[in-house]
Amino acid sequence: MTGEDAQIFLRYDDDPDARLILQGDWTLRNYVKIGQAIVDLQSRLPSSVEGRALPIDVSAMRALDTSGAARLLELLGPDAAETIARTGSGMSRERSALLRTVLDATAAAGQVPERQSLSVLFELLGRVGLSMELFWKQTLTLLGFIGLTLQSLALNVLRPARWRVTSIVAQIEETGLNAVPIVALLTFMVGAVIAFLGATILADFGASGYTVNLVAFSFLREFAVLLTAILMAGRTASAFTAQLGSMKANEEIDALRTMGMNPIEVLVLPRILALLVSLPLLTFIGMVSGILGGLVVCTLSLGISPTMFFAILKEDIPLRHFVLGMAKAPLFAYLIAVIGCQEGFKVSGSAKSVGEHTTSSVVQSIFIVILLDALAALFYMEMGW
């Protein structure tokens, strides 16, 4: 062997007195040779010294790295290695620290933490607590992002030179104009279903004529804005999250910051402003389509002519129902856009993360829309509107 090779010597006498002499380079280069030397040593170890803690001499060891420390641990065992790491036994301070680190890492890797068994009640309470903590953190994050967007909007509303008109118009086309067919079709069909069910039930009481009031009242106050907002939550919020998430994964947002641009102004504000314009217009289209769906059913099933239908609509349905329904549209639009953009910025960089945050944006948007609509309905009722 050369001077750089690792060598293990066992010296013993007849009394018997033996000790291990370690020398050479205990490094990755000699990892295989050290292993073979350990096997040879164990085969040549006399029975008179087996099971005894032999004195170790490491003064002739030239070098030691983590692989050599692992072989040393394999040769001596954890107890003897702990003794050498603690006392030094001729080792330098650095090598003793390295051996102690390898020993601790090996011990930690072999330990499997015991899972404390809990009752079903404690498991349930723990899951509820974790869910509430996550909900609270998401709420704080959403409120912070809302404040950030409002601040950016306030700083730029009086600075027309910073308005991105092209981006806003493009987003209006994508979120508003392209969504007209699906919104109109869905609200038309729902209006027809409500009119059919209302006519069927009210016929038992001889009040089929009130089907017109039912359709108009429900769509002006609730169904048009609610259905449109849910459609936008599934269609637009997910698109915002996927777009911004892909940009985040491709480091395009970091590139914008590098060029001195504010991602909130460039990416978020145009989407918010576009949805603030699109959702009220789509809500109006939903109101008209839903009422037309009810008109078709009333004409075909109840014999109510279009002239009579619109006469009842004009006489019995006040304008305030239309105003109350439209008043909720900007709020829903703002929250849907903010949630979609915020989840896009939270993407970590993988395709899985994009999918998870896209799903989260849709769920959060629908939940917020339904919650606020219920609160608004209670508020309107208490105010007598």
Side-chain angles (χ1 to χ4, degrees), residues 288-330:
V288 174
S289 299
I291 292 175
L292 289 179
L295 170 63
V296 171
V297 172
C298 290
T299 301
L300 298 179
S301 300
L302 302 178
I304 299 177
S305 65
T307 303
M308 183 182 299
F309 184 93
F310 286 112
I312 297 173
L313 186 66
K314 179 180 178 181
E315 181 179 353
D316 295 344
I317 306 299
L319 182 62
R320 74 171 185 274
H321 298 308
F322 169 79
V323 176
L324 293 176
M326 291 295 297
K328 294 183 286 186

Side-chain angles (χ1 to χ4, degrees), residues 103-120:
L103 182 63
D104 294 341
T106 305
Q111 294 177 354
V112 179
E114 296 183 0
R115 187 175 184 274
Q116 185 178 3
S117 59
L118 300 175
S119 63
V120 177

Side-chain angles (χ1 to χ4, degrees), residues 162-322:
R162 299 181 66 89
W163 296 357
R164 299 185 175 273
V165 180
T166 303
S167 298
I168 295 175
V169 173
Q171 291 295 331
I172 290 176
E173 179 184 5
E174 182 178 351
T175 61
L177 185 60
N178 294 342
V180 169
I182 184 64
V183 171
L185 178 61
L186 179 64
T187 52
F188 180 88
M189 295 176 64
V190 173
V193 170
I194 291 176
F196 180 78
L197 293 177
T200 303
I201 299 300
L202 293 176
D204 297 336
F205 302 94
S208 299
Y210 287 100
T211 304
V212 179
N213 303 66
L214 174 64
V215 173
F217 184 84
S218 60
F219 268 88
L220 290 177
R221 289 181 68 105
E222 295 294 336
F223 283 159
V225 64
L226 184 61
L227 292 174
T228 304
I230 291 176
L231 280 175
M232 290 298 100
R235 182 181 183 275
T236 305
S238 61
F240 288 173
T241 303
Q243 292 167 2
L244 298 182
S246 299
M247 295 181 68
K248 180 74 176 297
N250 295 331
E251 299 182 354
E252 297 177 34
I253 296 179
D254 295 333
L256 288 176
R257 292 193 178 98
T258 303
M259 292 186 293
M261 298 181 181
N262 187 352
I264 300 298
E265 296 180 8
V266 177
L267 301 176
V268 177
L269 291 186
R271 287 171 167 80
I272 292 177
L273 294 175
L275 202 58
L276 285 173
V277 174
S278 300
L279 188 57
L281 296 177
L282 291 174
T283 300
F284 178 77
I285 294 173
M287 291 178 179
V288 174
S289 299
I291 292 175
L292 289 179
L295 170 63
V296 171
V297 172
C298 290
T299 301
L300 298 179
S301 300
L302 302 178
I304 299 177
S305 65
T307 303
M308 183 182 299
F309 184 93
F310 286 112
I312 297 173
L313 186 66
K314 179 180 178 181
E315 181 179 353
D316 295 344
I317 306 299
L319 182 62
R320 74 171 185 274
H321 298 308
F322 169 79

